[in-house]
Amino acid sequence: MTTATETTTKPATPILQATGVIMRFGGLTAVRNVDLTVNSGEIVGLIGPNGAGKTTFFNCLTGLYVPTEGTVAYKGTVLPPKPHLVTNAGIARTFQNIRLFSNMTVLENVLVGRHTRTKEGLFAALVRGPRYHKAEAASRERAMELLEFIGLENKADHLARNLPYGEQRKLEIARALASEPGLLLLDEPTAGMNPQETRATEELVFAIRDQGIAVLVIEHDMRFIFNLCDRVAVLVQGEKLVEGDKETVQGDDRVIAAYLGTPFEGDPGTEEVAEVEAAEANSTTEDER
Amino acid sequence: MTDITKDTTATTAEGAKGLIRLSESAARALTTIGGVLTAAGAFLAWTWTSNFPGDLTYYGSPAGLQWLAFTAGLLTVLFSLAGYGVKGLRWLTPTGSTAPIVLSAFAGLAVTWFSLIAIAVELGGVANWVVGGILAGIFSIVPVIGALALPKPGPATQDTGIKATLAAYVAKPSSTKPLPQLPGWQQRGIIAIVIALGLYVFTYGIDTQGGELFSGFLFLAVFGLWALHSAGLLDRFSALTEAHKGYAVTLAFAAAAIFPFTQNNDHDANVGVNILIFGTVALGLNIVVGLTGLLDLGYVAFLGVGAYTAALFSGSAYSTITGFSLPFWAAALAGTAASLVFGVLIGAPTLRLRGDYLAIVTLGFGEIFRITVRNLDGSSGPDITNGPNGIADIPDLSIAGFNFGESHNIAGFTLGRFANYYLLMLIVTVIVVLVFNRASDSRIGRAWVAIREDETAATAMGINGFRVKLIAFALGASLAGLAGSVNAHVSSSVVPDPYVFAGPVAPNSAFLLAAVVLGGMGTVSGPLLGAALLYLIPEKLEFLKEYQLLAFGIALIILMRFRPEGVIANRRRQLEFHEDKDQDPTEPTAPAAPAATAGV
């Protein structure tokens, strides 16, 4: 992939800086002291087994949860933990379980995403001056552009809930993009998709990155993650285990242990491994004989 | 004629037989003849004495309920002929003729037999039927037999239970025959004719004397509209109005403005003005409940705030603000502003709650308003509202020399006191409809609907949930206040008692909420229609007496069971039906979509 060249050509300025984020629910600590930085023009992956706290961490970033400790800064300014202010600052997100406005049309869904970038209030809506019409027309135009970008321009008047699953995922991304974010958070964007759809989503994420939007993505599909991401962070039981490029993460024993479990009870010694190998070698030689 | 041959081949291929075993041609003949007979039965005498309301004793001259039966018979005939493919009538049944025939035949049956039963019950026995009545009763059964012998529409299913079969008969087919595009002036003409018909039907309903005639009217209206709906005509009409929106809305309001001129009885104008007031308030509530999805159970308090404010500034002798009165426009503005302030005051602490909690808290605030107003009488609090006695003798309005309390002659028509107020209220309704329409189709309106759909996702899209909900709450409240300021003058006194959560008299929170839900949430015409129905039914069915609330409850349950989206479905729900139709052209585009994205 062309990702490496992209990042090196641009000077990496941090877009998102989460420092020391801790989230406790009563006695349960879901996120323990996680630091994460996303630089401009970067696609960063966040992986980890189920229940590792990835979505909780996302919710802390977007203000849906108020983190117990720690700060989240966007382009150097610390964000208040209110979802609408976070979106206003420039962080948009999608949800793990699709949360579209199901009884609104596809176009209306994207228009709602434009909420923070338009300012017309109730009074303007009632008076309907020329400026209102202009702003509304501009919003619609931008929304239609986004629908074209994800390939749903023919379904603008359909109800969101009548879209097939894959298109609902795409619409969620378009809705998030409508707020003109600098950072896009994707929570399992390919869950439940078939390989073709997954590949299409991959292309879509690259296209988004090429527009200058940094992306932080949670995903369980490892091929998807390692194709896509410049950097991957691994979250296990609320703690960040490793962070780095593809090789670093794939080669890390702790990551393998977290996903597959340790092969023996306790720490498997090298002696034991050697023993097993020897035994295997013996058996094969016996067979040949 | 090609249409019928197609029809029959399609149905026989599925092997669908009628509920009653008859050949199809016999069944069709039976429905047509039966329709004629039902209509003809209206010309017979149904009873011997003029004691039954409407005097159904004449041969050759239908009256009251008989006219309704005649109309039902006529509908049956028209739909049957359309079923034959008679040229010039085929436009009547764009989705097929079976369901409309069945339903209009049922309409005739229901009206006729309701009348006969009413005669028997009220006059004390079946002996009060005369030969004509019995004949009419038998006649009305004929088209039903014929209709149920028509081949069962829809796919042949294993389920042959009576319930499933009947449901198949009255179901609206999803496929529509494409009709030729009419020229614009014809489309406008059709809209004008339909709205004139609507005005006639509505006026007829309000004018009906006695519960029997109104019940018969309801039977005919329900089955008749259902037949028109299943024939696809209502969809067609809404498509027409969608194409000529401004024209249709203007005509509808013109028709509403003509209404008082058709009335020579000021009581009916009173019914009209009350329907407008409560419909307008329900429309305000629709912003809160229908668009934003906040269940407000104390909404009537805002109507009260507006009414009390207008009453205080009206110059009434009982008002605590003595020797001072505001002109109406200022009083109306004051009422609106006071409601707005109360809306913000009540909304600010409560809107942080969601769902059931919000409902309970608003219910509490509604009661607090009533009890407070009751106690501000000088003995248990400062004397502001005159306590339980309220503010009486509110003078009639007089705008630019036009005294609303007197009768005026306009172009040969006499407009009484309530007719004057009706026209004033109509202007207020127009304003509220305009506000509702503009607000709902805007950035803020979309934010309301988004919050209703999924509040968490809405806030994640950058919507300040609390602020937007507060705007909805305040706007809804101020619209109720505006209507309230007119209401104070119409009823000429304001007392605390009507502003309760639930009660037998119209302005109470449960009534308003029911009007919104029953009429159709999120629509403009829904709450207006809901308020009209809910106000008219108790008004006309006085004979139910203490069972009124029970009947009201049963009617609500039945409606919510069979049409949960309300009488008038939301535009978004209609869109859903449209999508079923154009599913085919959109399907092929779906596989192309990933390719399009890949190209981006």
Side-chain angles (χ1 to χ4, degrees), chain B residues 35-122:
Chain B
V36 174
L37 284 177
T38 309
F43 289 87
L44 302 172
W46 287 7
T47 183
W48 59 278
T49 167
S50 58
N51 285 347
F52 187 77
D55 196 357
L56 311 178
T57 61
Y58 293 102
Y59 281 91
S61 152
L65 283 162
Q66 292 173 324
W67 273 124
L68 297 174
F70 175 79
T71 314
L74 197 66
L75 268 179
T76 317
V77 174
L78 284 176
F79 283 129
S80 311
L81 291 179
Y84 273 119
V86 173
K87 252 196 151 49
L89 283 178
R90 266 182 285 173
W91 59 271
L92 270 173
T93 53
T95 58
S97 59
T98 305
I101 291 176
V102 172
L103 286 165
S104 54
F106 271 122
L109 185 78
V111 172
T112 311
W113 280 94
F114 166 77
S115 314
L116 292 176
I117 290 167
I119 289 171
V121 169
E122 273 177 51

Side-chain angles (χ1 to χ4, degrees), chain A residues 225-281:
Chain A
I225 279 285
F226 290 120
N227 275 346
L228 202 64
C229 299
D230 307 314
R231 206 145 48 81
V232 177
V234 185
L235 216 59
V236 176
Q237 292 191 341
E239 271 176 305
K240 192 169 84 176
L241 218 54
V242 204
E243 187 184 337
D245 59 11
K246 187 175 165 180
E247 288 72 29
T248 323
V249 172
Q250 281 177 336
D252 195 287
D253 289 340
R254 288 171 299 171
V255 176
I256 296 164
Y259 268 96
L260 303 177
T262 45
F264 285 91
E265 223 180 326
D267 196 26
T270 42
E271 290 168 24
E272 285 161 313
V273 175
E275 240 171 61
V276 171
E277 276 173 357
E280 276 175 354

Side-chain angles (χ1 to χ4, degrees), chain B residues 179-262:
Chain B
L179 282 201
Q181 188 70 25
L182 295 169
W185 66 271
Q186 276 186 15
Q187 293 188 0
R188 285 161 187 264
I190 291 171
I191 293 175
I193 291 167
V194 172
I195 287 176
L197 266 178
L199 173 68
Y200 177 77
V201 170
F202 185 74
T203 321
Y204 184 88
I206 285 193
D207 283 350
T208 50
Q209 300 299 322
E212 298 84 1
L213 189 53
F214 186 75
S215 308
F217 169 76
L218 275 188
F219 277 120
L220 179 62
V222 168
F223 279 107
L225 282 178
W226 193 357
L228 293 179
H229 168 72
S230 61
L233 285 177
L234 292 189
D235 285 356
R236 185 128 290 169
F237 180 66
S238 59
L240 277 183
T241 51
E242 197 62 36
H244 303 271
K245 212 168 184 183
Y247 172 78
V249 170
T250 317
L251 266 195
F253 277 112
I258 291 170
F259 166 75
F261 294 96
T262 65

Side-chain angles (χ1 to χ4, degrees), chain B residues 547-561:
Chain B
Y547 298 112
Q548 266 192 13
L549 273 178
L550 178 70
F552 177 70
I554 292 172
L556 272 189
I557 291 171
I558 291 174
L559 195 94
M560 286 299 105
R561 167 63 184 78

Side-chain angles (χ1 to χ4, degrees), chain A:
Chain A
M1 291 286 140
T2 55
T3 52
T5 49
E6 278 289 326
T7 38
T8 45
T9 48
K10 279 179 195 164
T13 52
I15 294 273
L16 177 84
Q17 280 174 303
T19 37
V21 174
I22 299 176
M23 185 73 216
R24 284 197 199 93
F25 298 104
L28 177 87
T29 310
V31 177
R32 290 167 212 262
N33 207 11
V34 173
D35 298 320
L36 187 75
T37 307
V38 179
N39 294 321
S40 61
E42 217 178 12
I43 301 178
V44 177
L46 190 60
I47 61 172
N50 284 324
K54 302 182 297 292
T55 299
T56 308
F57 181 61
F58 254 37
N59 286 345
C60 291
L61 293 183
T62 52
L64 280 180
Y65 292 157
V66 182
T68 319
E69 275 172 47
T71 56
V72 178
Y74 176 75
K75 288 185 178 169
T77 46
V78 175
L79 293 173
K82 293 261 188 210
H84 64 274
L85 296 179
V86 170
T87 311
N88 193 30
I91 298 180
R93 71 169 292 176
T94 66
F95 292 89
Q96 183 178 1
N97 44 344
I98 301 174
R99 299 188 85 151
L100 288 170
F101 308 120
S102 45
N103 286 318
M104 297 176 90
T105 66
V106 168
L107 180 65
E108 281 173 326
N109 265 279
V110 183
L111 283 173
V112 170
R114 301 271 314 149
H115 192 86
T116 50
R117 300 295 167 241
T118 42
K119 291 286 164 272
E120 281 64 39
L122 178 65
F123 192 69
L126 296 185
V127 177
R128 303 239 154 157
R131 269 178 66 185
Y132 172 85
H133 285 290
K134 219 169 140 187
E136 193 79 346
S139 261
R140 273 170 202 276
E141 197 184 329
R142 177 79 188 115
M144 280 312 291
E145 278 171 29
L146 282 168
L147 286 182
E148 268 169 48
F149 177 61
I150 59 160
L152 280 182
E153 70 273 20
N154 292 327
K155 295 200 172 184
D157 288 334
H158 287 229
L159 285 189
R161 66 152 165 225
N162 291 354
L163 290 183
Y165 182 83
E167 293 183 357
Q168 293 199 359
R169 284 258 178 235
K170 279 193 209 159
L171 178 56
E172 247 205 335
I173 293 176
R175 184 180 68 176
L177 287 177
S179 66
E180 294 169 16
L183 173 69
L184 181 64
L185 308 184
L186 300 174
D187 198 345
E188 298 197 21
T190 69
M193 283 186 171
N194 64 32
Q196 284 90 353
E197 287 173 320
T198 305
R199 207 163 317 129
T201 308
E202 221 173 275
E203 297 295 332
L204 185 62
V205 175
F206 279 128
I208 291 167
R209 197 266 317 270
D210 290 345
Q211 292 185 349
I213 299 168
V215 180
L216 177 61
V217 54
I218 294 179
E219 190 47 75
H220 283 299
D221 184 335
M222 289 307 149
R223 185 180 302 178
F224 176 79
I225 279 285
F226 290 120
N227 275 346
L228 202 64
C229 299
D230 307 314
R231 206 145 48 81
V232 177
V234 185
L235 216 59
V236 176
Q237 292 191 341
E239 271 176 305
K240 192 169 84 176
L241 218 54
V242 204
E243 187 184 337
D245 59 11
K246 187 175 165 180
E247 288 72 29
T248 323
V249 172
Q250 281 177 336
D252 195 287
D253 289 340
R254 288 171 299 171
V255 176
I256 296 164
Y259 268 96
L260 303 177
T262 45
F264 285 91
E265 223 180 326
D267 196 26
T270 42
E271 290 168 24
E272 285 161 313
V273 175
E275 240 171 61
V276 171
E277 276 173 357
E280 276 175 354
N282 270 338
S283 66
T284 47
T285 44
E286 268 164 31
D287 283 347
E288 277 165 8
R289 215 180 271 167

Side-chain angles (χ1 to χ4, degrees), chain B residues 469-491:
Chain B
K469 283 194 282 184
L470 192 59
I471 292 175
F473 211 73
L475 181 66
S478 45
L479 294 182
L482 179 62
S485 60
V486 180
N487 191 19
H489 289 277
V490 172
S491 54

